[in-house]
Amino acid sequence: MSARTDFFDHLAQTSDSPIGLQIVRADGSWLYTEDGRRYLDLIAGIGVSALGHGHPSVKQALTNQSERYLHVMVYGEYILDSQTNLAARLAKLLPTSLDRVYFTNSGAEAIEGALKTARKYTGRQKFVAFDGAYHGDTMGALALAGNDSFRVPFGTLPGPVQHLPYDDERALGAIDATVAAVVIEPVQAEGGVRIPSHSFIQALRQRCTDSGALLIFDEVLTGLGRTGQLFALEHFGVVPDLLVLAKALGGGLPLGAFCGSSDIIGTLAHNPPLGHITTFGGHPLSCATGLAALNVITEQHLSERAREIGDYLVQRLRELDDSCITAIRGIGLLIGIEFDEASHAQRFVAGAIARGVIINWTLNADRVVRLAPPLTITHEEIDFAVAAFKAALAEVSA
Ligand code: PMP
Protein backbone atom coordinates (compact mmCIF):
# COMPACT_ATOMS: atom_id res chain seq x y z
CA MET A 1 0.00 0.00 0.00
CA SER A 2 1.21 3.50 -0.75
CA ALA A 3 1.71 6.12 1.95
CA ARG A 4 -1.00 8.19 0.23
CA THR A 5 -3.55 5.36 0.49
CA ASP A 6 -2.60 4.68 4.11
CA PHE A 7 -2.89 8.41 4.87
CA PHE A 8 -6.50 8.45 3.70
CA ASP A 9 -7.40 5.00 5.06
CA HIS A 10 -5.68 4.97 8.44
CA LEU A 11 -4.89 8.46 9.66
CA ALA A 12 -7.65 10.44 11.33
CA GLN A 13 -8.48 13.28 8.97
CA THR A 14 -8.94 16.83 10.21
CA SER A 15 -10.75 18.11 7.13
CA ASP A 16 -12.20 16.90 3.84
CA SER A 17 -9.45 18.61 1.89
CA PRO A 18 -5.96 18.10 3.35
CA ILE A 19 -3.09 19.65 1.37
CA GLY A 20 -1.86 16.07 1.01
CA LEU A 21 1.73 16.75 -0.06
CA GLN A 22 3.93 13.72 0.54
CA ILE A 23 7.05 15.18 2.14
CA VAL A 24 10.31 13.29 1.74
CA ARG A 25 12.77 15.94 2.93
CA ALA A 26 12.85 19.47 4.29
CA ASP A 27 15.78 21.86 4.23
CA GLY A 28 15.94 25.60 5.00
CA SER A 29 12.76 27.25 3.72
CA TRP A 30 11.93 24.35 1.40
CA LEU A 31 9.87 21.16 1.52
CA TYR A 32 10.56 18.39 -1.02
CA THR A 33 7.86 15.95 -2.13
CA GLU A 34 7.96 12.39 -3.45
CA ASP A 35 7.05 13.53 -6.97
CA GLY A 36 10.30 15.50 -7.21
CA ARG A 37 8.78 18.95 -6.61
CA ARG A 38 9.83 21.53 -4.04
CA TYR A 39 7.69 24.00 -2.10
CA LEU A 40 8.62 27.21 -0.33
CA ASP A 41 7.27 26.93 3.24
CA LEU A 42 5.80 30.36 3.90
CA ILE A 43 4.04 29.20 7.07
CA ALA A 44 7.04 27.47 8.71
CA GLY A 45 5.00 24.46 9.81
CA ILE A 46 2.49 26.94 11.32
CA GLY A 47 5.04 29.02 13.14
CA VAL A 48 7.28 26.22 14.44
CA SER A 49 10.28 26.25 12.10
CA ALA A 50 11.63 29.71 12.92
CA LEU A 51 15.11 28.66 11.76
CA GLY A 52 13.78 26.90 8.69
CA HIS A 53 14.01 23.14 8.43
CA GLY A 54 16.98 21.03 9.50
CA HIS A 55 19.11 23.75 11.07
CA PRO A 56 22.56 22.26 11.84
CA SER A 57 22.67 23.60 15.43
CA VAL A 58 19.31 22.02 16.19
CA LYS A 59 20.35 18.71 14.64
CA GLN A 60 23.60 18.72 16.62
CA ALA A 61 21.76 19.39 19.89
CA LEU A 62 19.38 16.55 19.09
CA THR A 63 22.25 14.13 18.47
CA ASN A 64 24.13 15.19 21.59
CA GLN A 65 21.10 14.83 23.86
CA SER A 66 19.95 11.56 22.28
CA GLU A 67 23.36 10.05 23.08
CA ARG A 68 22.97 11.01 26.78
CA TYR A 69 19.36 10.09 27.60
CA LEU A 70 15.82 10.44 26.28
CA HIS A 71 12.92 10.27 28.75
CA VAL A 72 13.86 9.54 32.37
CA MET A 73 11.08 10.83 34.65
CA VAL A 74 7.85 12.81 34.74
CA TYR A 75 8.50 16.57 34.54
CA GLY A 76 9.54 18.27 37.76
CA GLU A 77 11.18 15.44 39.71
CA TYR A 78 14.76 15.06 38.45
CA ILE A 79 17.25 17.82 37.75
CA LEU A 80 17.88 17.67 33.99
CA ASP A 81 20.31 20.17 32.57
CA SER A 82 18.50 20.27 29.22
CA GLN A 83 15.52 21.73 31.11
CA THR A 84 17.41 23.93 33.56
CA ASN A 85 19.61 25.45 30.83
CA LEU A 86 16.60 26.43 28.76
CA ALA A 87 14.67 27.70 31.79
CA ALA A 88 17.61 29.84 32.94
CA ARG A 89 18.13 31.22 29.42
CA LEU A 90 14.44 32.15 29.13
CA ALA A 91 14.56 33.78 32.57
CA LYS A 92 17.49 35.95 31.43
CA LEU A 93 15.65 37.06 28.30
CA LEU A 94 12.23 37.69 29.89
CA PRO A 95 11.17 40.42 32.30
CA THR A 96 12.23 39.51 35.86
CA SER A 97 8.68 38.77 37.00
CA LEU A 98 8.47 35.93 34.45
CA ASP A 99 11.48 34.03 35.73
CA ARG A 100 9.88 30.68 36.52
CA VAL A 101 8.84 28.28 33.79
CA TYR A 102 6.62 25.20 33.66
CA PHE A 103 7.36 23.11 30.54
CA THR A 104 4.57 21.26 28.73
CA ASN A 105 4.18 19.28 25.50
CA SER A 106 2.16 21.81 23.54
CA GLY A 107 0.61 25.25 23.43
CA ALA A 108 -2.82 24.03 24.47
CA GLU A 109 -1.42 22.16 27.44
CA ALA A 110 0.42 25.30 28.54
CA ILE A 111 -2.82 27.29 28.26
CA GLU A 112 -4.56 24.70 30.44
CA GLY A 113 -1.79 24.97 33.03
CA ALA A 114 -1.99 28.76 32.99
CA LEU A 115 -5.79 28.66 33.46
CA LYS A 116 -5.46 26.26 36.40
CA THR A 117 -2.77 28.46 37.92
CA ALA A 118 -4.98 31.54 37.62
CA ARG A 119 -7.92 29.80 39.32
CA LYS A 120 -5.74 28.51 42.10
CA TYR A 121 -3.92 31.81 42.65
CA THR A 122 -6.97 34.07 42.59
CA GLY A 123 -9.60 31.71 43.99
CA ARG A 124 -11.89 32.97 41.21
CA GLN A 125 -13.64 31.04 38.44
CA LYS A 126 -14.32 33.25 35.47
CA PHE A 127 -12.14 33.81 32.40
CA VAL A 128 -12.22 36.57 29.82
CA ALA A 129 -11.09 35.98 26.22
CA PHE A 130 -11.53 37.85 22.95
CA ASP A 131 -13.46 37.57 19.72
CA GLY A 132 -11.30 35.96 17.05
CA ALA A 133 -9.05 34.28 19.63
CA TYR A 134 -7.38 30.92 19.14
CA HIS A 135 -5.66 29.25 22.09
CA GLY A 136 -5.70 25.54 21.21
CA ASP A 137 -8.09 22.64 21.04
CA THR A 138 -8.24 21.01 24.45
CA MET A 139 -11.50 21.68 26.30
CA GLY A 140 -10.26 24.62 28.43
CA ALA A 141 -8.37 26.26 25.57
CA LEU A 142 -11.32 25.69 23.25
CA ALA A 143 -13.64 27.39 25.73
CA LEU A 144 -11.60 30.55 25.10
CA ALA A 145 -11.93 30.34 21.31
CA GLY A 146 -13.40 33.47 19.84
CA ASN A 147 -15.37 31.74 17.12
CA ASP A 148 -18.72 30.07 17.88
CA SER A 149 -18.52 27.67 14.98
CA PHE A 150 -15.51 25.89 16.50
CA ARG A 151 -16.83 25.95 20.08
CA VAL A 152 -20.56 25.29 19.92
CA PRO A 153 -20.47 21.78 18.34
CA PHE A 154 -18.61 20.51 21.41
CA GLY A 155 -21.27 21.37 23.95
CA THR A 156 -20.62 22.61 27.46
CA LEU A 157 -17.02 23.68 27.90
CA PRO A 158 -15.17 24.81 31.06
CA GLY A 159 -16.26 28.24 32.13
CA PRO A 160 -17.67 30.73 32.66
CA VAL A 161 -15.88 32.51 29.82
CA GLN A 162 -16.88 35.97 28.66
CA HIS A 163 -15.75 37.08 25.21
CA LEU A 164 -14.96 40.74 24.60
CA PRO A 165 -14.28 42.53 21.31
CA TYR A 166 -10.56 42.62 20.48
CA ASP A 167 -8.80 45.99 20.52
CA ASP A 168 -11.78 47.82 22.00
CA GLU A 169 -10.91 49.73 25.17
CA ARG A 170 -14.56 50.51 25.90
CA ALA A 171 -15.26 46.81 26.55
CA LEU A 172 -12.61 46.42 29.26
CA GLY A 173 -14.99 47.57 31.99
CA ALA A 174 -16.38 44.00 31.97
CA ILE A 175 -13.18 42.81 33.69
CA ASP A 176 -14.04 42.92 37.38
CA ALA A 177 -13.18 41.25 40.68
CA THR A 178 -14.88 37.98 39.63
CA VAL A 179 -12.36 37.36 36.83
CA ALA A 180 -9.51 34.89 37.48
CA ALA A 181 -7.67 35.66 34.24
CA VAL A 182 -7.87 37.46 30.94
CA VAL A 183 -6.24 35.50 28.11
CA ILE A 184 -5.12 37.34 25.00
CA GLU A 185 -2.83 36.99 22.00
CA PRO A 186 -0.86 40.27 21.86
CA VAL A 187 -1.24 39.93 18.09
CA GLN A 188 -4.07 37.68 16.91
CA ALA A 189 -2.86 35.21 14.32
CA GLU A 190 -5.80 32.91 13.55
CA GLY A 191 -8.07 35.91 14.09
CA GLY A 192 -6.70 37.34 10.83
CA VAL A 193 -3.34 38.87 11.87
CA ARG A 194 -4.84 41.64 14.01
CA ILE A 195 -2.38 44.04 15.60
CA PRO A 196 -3.98 45.92 18.52
CA SER A 197 -3.19 49.48 19.55
CA HIS A 198 -0.67 50.15 22.31
CA SER A 199 -3.30 51.97 24.30
CA PHE A 200 -5.63 48.94 24.25
CA ILE A 201 -2.98 46.58 25.61
CA GLN A 202 -1.87 49.13 28.18
CA ALA A 203 -5.44 49.76 29.32
CA LEU A 204 -5.96 45.99 29.54
CA ARG A 205 -2.88 45.64 31.75
CA GLN A 206 -4.15 48.42 34.00
CA ARG A 207 -7.65 46.96 34.22
CA CYS A 208 -6.27 43.54 35.20
CA THR A 209 -4.07 45.10 37.86
CA ASP A 210 -6.99 47.11 39.24
CA SER A 211 -9.40 44.17 39.34
CA GLY A 212 -6.90 41.54 40.52
CA ALA A 213 -7.39 39.40 37.39
CA LEU A 214 -4.24 37.75 36.04
CA LEU A 215 -3.23 38.82 32.56
CA ILE A 216 -2.15 35.84 30.43
CA PHE A 217 -0.37 36.54 27.15
CA ASP A 218 -0.57 33.72 24.62
CA GLU A 219 2.66 34.11 22.67
CA VAL A 220 2.55 30.59 21.24
CA LEU A 221 2.85 32.01 17.72
CA THR A 222 4.24 35.48 18.35
CA GLY A 223 7.07 34.44 20.70
CA LEU A 224 10.72 33.87 19.84
CA GLY A 225 11.31 36.61 17.31
CA ARG A 226 8.45 36.31 14.86
CA THR A 227 7.01 39.79 15.32
CA GLY A 228 10.35 41.61 15.19
CA GLN A 229 10.90 41.48 18.96
CA LEU A 230 11.94 38.37 20.86
CA PHE A 231 8.54 38.51 22.61
CA ALA A 232 5.58 40.51 21.29
CA LEU A 233 5.02 41.95 24.77
CA GLU A 234 8.03 44.18 24.06
CA HIS A 235 6.02 46.08 21.42
CA PHE A 236 3.53 47.22 24.04
CA GLY A 237 5.71 47.98 27.06
CA VAL A 238 3.63 45.78 29.38
CA VAL A 239 4.39 42.60 31.32
CA PRO A 240 1.69 39.96 31.72
CA ASP A 241 1.34 37.85 34.86
CA LEU A 242 1.71 34.64 32.86
CA LEU A 243 3.27 34.14 29.43
CA VAL A 244 2.49 31.09 27.30
CA LEU A 245 4.98 29.85 24.69
CA ALA A 246 5.13 26.85 22.33
CA LYS A 247 5.64 26.31 18.57
CA ALA A 248 9.16 27.71 17.90
CA LEU A 249 10.14 27.11 21.54
CA GLY A 250 11.22 23.50 20.87
CA GLY A 251 13.25 24.34 17.76
CA GLY A 252 11.11 21.88 15.77
CA LEU A 253 10.37 19.36 18.53
CA PRO A 254 7.19 19.50 20.66
CA LEU A 255 7.50 21.88 23.59
CA GLY A 256 5.26 24.40 25.34
CA ALA A 257 5.71 26.49 28.47
CA PHE A 258 4.03 28.93 30.77
CA CYS A 259 6.15 31.41 32.64
CA GLY A 260 5.38 33.60 35.64
CA SER A 261 6.66 34.62 39.05
CA SER A 262 7.43 31.95 41.65
CA ASP A 263 4.66 33.45 43.76
CA ILE A 264 2.03 32.74 41.10
CA ILE A 265 3.33 29.51 39.54
CA GLY A 266 4.30 28.20 42.98
CA THR A 267 0.61 27.77 43.86
CA LEU A 268 0.62 24.63 41.68
CA ALA A 269 3.01 22.82 44.02
CA HIS A 270 0.67 22.81 47.03
CA ASN A 271 -2.86 21.83 47.97
CA PRO A 272 -2.76 19.41 46.29
CA PRO A 273 0.87 18.70 45.55
CA LEU A 274 1.23 17.27 42.03
CA GLY A 275 -1.89 19.22 41.07
CA HIS A 276 -0.48 19.79 37.61
CA ILE A 277 1.92 17.21 36.23
CA THR A 278 2.89 16.00 32.79
CA THR A 279 4.81 12.89 31.74
CA PHE A 280 6.48 14.14 28.60
CA GLY A 281 6.29 17.93 29.12
CA GLY A 282 9.78 19.45 28.96
CA HIS A 283 11.19 16.40 27.16
CA PRO A 284 15.01 16.50 27.28
CA LEU A 285 15.27 16.31 23.48
CA SER A 286 12.82 19.21 23.02
CA CYS A 287 14.55 21.34 25.65
CA ALA A 288 17.97 20.67 24.11
CA THR A 289 16.81 21.58 20.60
CA GLY A 290 14.83 24.50 22.01
CA LEU A 291 17.92 25.96 23.66
CA ALA A 292 19.96 25.50 20.49
CA ALA A 293 17.27 27.29 18.46
CA LEU A 294 16.92 30.09 21.01
CA ASN A 295 20.68 30.65 20.97
CA VAL A 296 20.68 30.95 17.18
CA ILE A 297 17.71 33.36 17.32
CA THR A 298 19.46 35.63 19.82
CA GLU A 299 23.06 35.34 18.52
CA GLN A 300 22.02 35.97 14.93
CA HIS A 301 19.58 38.75 15.92
CA LEU A 302 16.78 37.02 14.04
CA SER A 303 14.08 39.22 15.58
CA GLU A 304 15.68 42.29 13.98
CA ARG A 305 15.99 40.29 10.78
CA ALA A 306 12.28 39.41 11.00
CA ARG A 307 11.51 43.13 11.17
CA GLU A 308 13.68 44.03 8.18
CA ILE A 309 12.73 41.17 5.93
CA GLY A 310 9.09 41.46 7.03
CA ASP A 311 9.13 45.08 5.82
CA TYR A 312 10.57 43.92 2.50
CA LEU A 313 7.87 41.25 2.15
CA VAL A 314 5.09 43.75 2.92
CA GLN A 315 6.55 46.23 0.43
CA ARG A 316 6.69 43.56 -2.30
CA LEU A 317 3.12 42.46 -1.47
CA ARG A 318 1.88 46.05 -1.77
CA GLU A 319 3.27 46.10 -5.33
CA LEU A 320 0.77 43.37 -6.24
CA ASP A 321 -1.93 46.04 -6.11
CA ASP A 322 -4.89 43.76 -6.92
CA SER A 323 -8.51 44.78 -6.48
CA CYS A 324 -9.30 41.51 -4.62
CA ILE A 325 -6.87 42.49 -1.86
CA THR A 326 -8.44 44.87 0.64
CA ALA A 327 -5.60 45.13 3.21
CA ILE A 328 -2.06 44.00 3.90
CA ARG A 329 -0.81 44.18 7.48
CA GLY A 330 2.22 42.81 9.19
CA ILE A 331 4.39 42.87 12.25
CA GLY A 332 7.80 41.34 11.64
CA LEU A 333 7.29 38.09 9.80
CA LEU A 334 3.65 37.64 10.73
CA ILE A 335 1.74 39.06 7.81
CA GLY A 336 -1.91 38.97 6.75
CA ILE A 337 -3.29 39.52 3.27
CA GLU A 338 -6.99 40.32 3.49
CA PHE A 339 -9.25 39.55 0.51
CA ASP A 340 -12.66 40.94 -0.35
CA GLU A 341 -14.19 37.43 -0.29
CA ALA A 342 -13.30 34.13 1.40
CA SER A 343 -13.58 32.32 -1.95
CA HIS A 344 -10.91 34.62 -3.39
CA ALA A 345 -8.62 33.89 -0.45
CA GLN A 346 -9.14 30.17 -1.00
CA ARG A 347 -8.42 30.35 -4.71
CA PHE A 348 -5.33 32.41 -4.01
CA VAL A 349 -4.04 29.81 -1.53
CA ALA A 350 -4.69 26.98 -3.99
CA GLY A 351 -3.00 28.92 -6.81
CA ALA A 352 0.07 29.67 -4.68
CA ILE A 353 0.44 26.05 -3.61
CA ALA A 354 0.11 24.90 -7.21
CA ARG A 355 3.04 27.24 -7.98
CA GLY A 356 5.20 25.86 -5.18
CA VAL A 357 4.46 28.26 -2.30
CA ILE A 358 2.78 26.99 0.86
CA ILE A 359 0.41 29.47 2.52
CA ASN A 360 -2.92 29.11 4.30
CA TRP A 361 -5.86 31.16 5.44
CA THR A 362 -6.61 31.83 9.09
CA LEU A 363 -9.05 29.76 11.17
CA ASN A 364 -11.20 32.59 12.50
CA ALA A 365 -10.99 34.98 9.55
CA ASP A 366 -11.48 33.13 6.29
CA ARG A 367 -10.80 36.20 4.14
CA VAL A 368 -7.28 36.56 5.54
CA VAL A 369 -4.27 34.64 4.26
CA ARG A 370 -1.46 34.37 6.78
CA LEU A 371 2.25 34.39 5.98
CA ALA A 372 4.66 33.30 8.73
CA PRO A 373 7.84 32.13 6.99
CA PRO A 374 11.05 31.01 8.68
CA LEU A 375 12.91 34.01 10.17
CA THR A 376 15.83 32.94 7.99
CA ILE A 377 13.97 33.39 4.69
CA THR A 378 16.04 35.19 2.02
CA HIS A 379 15.14 38.10 -0.26
CA GLU A 380 15.42 35.77 -3.27
CA GLU A 381 12.94 33.35 -1.70
CA ILE A 382 10.54 36.23 -1.08
CA ASP A 383 10.89 37.30 -4.71
CA PHE A 384 10.08 33.72 -5.77
CA ALA A 385 6.95 33.79 -3.58
CA VAL A 386 5.79 37.16 -4.87
CA ALA A 387 6.14 35.98 -8.49
CA ALA A 388 3.97 32.97 -7.62
CA PHE A 389 1.44 35.25 -5.86
CA LYS A 390 1.22 37.46 -8.92
CA ALA A 391 0.40 34.50 -11.15
CA ALA A 392 -2.07 33.11 -8.57
CA LEU A 393 -3.82 36.49 -8.31
CA ALA A 394 -4.25 36.72 -12.07
CA GLU A 395 -6.28 33.52 -11.84
CA VAL A 396 -8.32 34.74 -8.85
CA SER A 397 -9.41 37.91 -10.58
CA ALA A 398 -9.97 36.23 -13.95
N1 PMP B 1 -2.24 29.55 20.92
C1 PMP B 1 -1.98 30.03 19.69
C2 PMP B 1 -1.92 31.53 19.49
C3 PMP B 1 -1.78 29.17 18.63
O1 PMP B 1 -1.54 29.66 17.40
C4 PMP B 1 -1.84 27.78 18.86
C5 PMP B 1 -1.63 26.77 17.75
N2 PMP B 1 -1.93 27.18 16.47
C6 PMP B 1 -2.11 27.32 20.16
C7 PMP B 1 -2.30 28.24 21.17
C8 PMP B 1 -2.19 25.87 20.46
O2 PMP B 1 -0.93 25.27 20.38
P1 PMP B 1 -0.81 23.70 20.18
O3 PMP B 1 -1.31 23.39 18.80
O4 PMP B 1 0.67 23.42 20.36
O5 PMP B 1 -1.63 23.06 21.22
Side-chain angles (χ1 to χ4, degrees):
M1 275 299 151
S2 75
R4 178 165 298 279
T5 311
D6 287 341
F7 173 78
F8 284 106
D9 288 353
H10 300 301
L11 278 179
Q13 299 294 311
T14 56
S15 81
D16 290 333
S17 51
I19 301 176
L21 298 179
Q22 194 173 330
I23 308 298
V24 290
R25 192 165 69 82
D27 186 29
S29 305
W30 297 89
L31 305 174
Y32 297 84
T33 50
E34 45 71 57
D35 55 1
R37 293 196 63 187
R38 67 174 193 160
Y39 293 82
L40 184 61
D41 184 2
L42 241 62
I43 50 177
I46 312 283
V48 169
S49 314
L51 304 183
H53 300 281
H55 193 282
S57 302
V58 172
K59 288 206 285 203
Q60 189 60 53
L62 185 60
T63 305
N64 294 350
Q65 182 58 42
S66 70
E67 282 168 0
R68 297 176 67 213
Y69 52 86
L70 301 178
H71 175 81
V72 285
M73 180 51 153
V74 58
Y75 171 74
E77 295 292 335
Y78 292 167
I79 298 169
L80 307 176
D81 59 11
S82 49
Q83 293 175 347
T84 57
N85 290 340
L86 179 57
R89 185 86 187 101
L90 283 169
K92 276 215 169 62
L93 294 166
L94 282 165
T96 45
S97 59
L98 300 173
D99 71 343
R100 189 163 293 253
V101 55
Y102 191 115
F103 287 122
T104 64
N105 295 279
S106 67
E109 189 193 3
I111 290 283
E112 299 289 338
L115 295 178
K116 284 173 72 180
T117 305
R119 281 220 171 142
K120 191 97 188 317
Y121 183 76
T122 62
R124 305 174 185 176
Q125 294 292 300
K126 183 176 162 181
F127 298 112
V128 166
F130 291 88
D131 293 343
Y134 182 81
H135 297 290
D137 269 324
T138 51
M139 294 289 237
L142 183 61
L144 306 171
N147 180 343
D148 288 353
S149 61
F150 283 104
R151 232 179 30 234
V152 170
F154 297 98
T156 307
L157 295 169
V161 178
Q162 181 174 5
H163 287 88
L164 301 181
Y166 193 70
D167 198 16
D168 182 350
E169 277 180 58
R170 290 163 308 178
L172 298 178
I175 301 165
D176 61 19
T178 64
V179 176
V182 179
V183 189
I184 188 165
E185 298 152 90
V187 175
Q188 277 193 347
E190 300 293 356
V193 185
R194 292 170 75 192
I195 306 159
S197 67
H198 279 219
S199 63
F200 171 72
I201 296 289
Q202 282 170 0
L204 173 63
R205 171 67 277 181
Q206 191 57 49
R207 188 76 198 170
C208 288
T209 304
D210 293 345
S211 60
L214 296 192
L215 177 59
I216 302 177
F217 269 15
D218 177 344
E219 291 225 35
V220 167
L221 194 86
T222 55
L224 290 316
R226 171 142 313 277
T227 66
Q229 297 282 4
L230 194 54
F231 302 101
L233 61 88
E234 295 167 57
H235 291 289
F236 301 99
V238 303
V239 179
D241 300 296
L242 291 168
L243 175 75
V244 177
L245 299 169
K247 297 226 183 245
L249 180 65
L253 268 68
L255 186 64
F258 56 104
C259 311
S261 65
S262 60
D263 183 35
I264 294 176
I265 293 204
T267 58
L268 284 178
H270 317 283
N271 184 29
L274 308 182
H276 192 74
I277 49 176
T278 173
T279 298
F280 285 125
H283 194 284
L285 286 180
S286 307
C287 288
T289 53
L291 180 61
L294 182 57
N295 285 340
V296 173
I297 290 171
T298 52
E299 283 158 18
Q300 298 188 1
H301 308 288
L302 291 186
S303 21
E304 285 90 325
R305 190 168 193 285
R307 214 177 306 147
E308 286 158 22
I309 206 140
D311 287 348
Y312 177 70
L313 177 49
V314 166
Q315 173 210 319
R316 294 288 340 261
L317 291 173
R318 294 225 158 98
E319 288 166 20
L320 290 171
D321 192 27
D322 189 282
S323 61
C324 295
I325 297 178
T326 53
I328 292 168
R329 48 183 176 266
I331 182 164
L333 276 170
L334 178 56
I335 292 161
I337 311 175
E338 187 166 314
F339 284 79
D340 52 353
E341 287 174 28
S343 63
H344 287 157
Q346 280 178 24
R347 279 170 63 187
F348 177 71
V349 169
I353 294 175
R355 289 169 179 82
V357 180
I358 308 283
I359 52 176
N360 66 353
W361 59 89
T362 52
L363 276 180
N364 297 335
D366 55 9
R367 289 191 294 115
V368 180
V369 171
R370 172 243 317 264
L371 312 182
L375 310 185
T376 49
I377 193 166
T378 64
H379 290 86
E380 293 71 34
E381 287 166 344
I382 284 180
D383 293 342
F384 176 91
V386 173
F389 290 166
K390 202 166 183 177
L393 272 173
E395 249 173 35
V396 171
S397 352

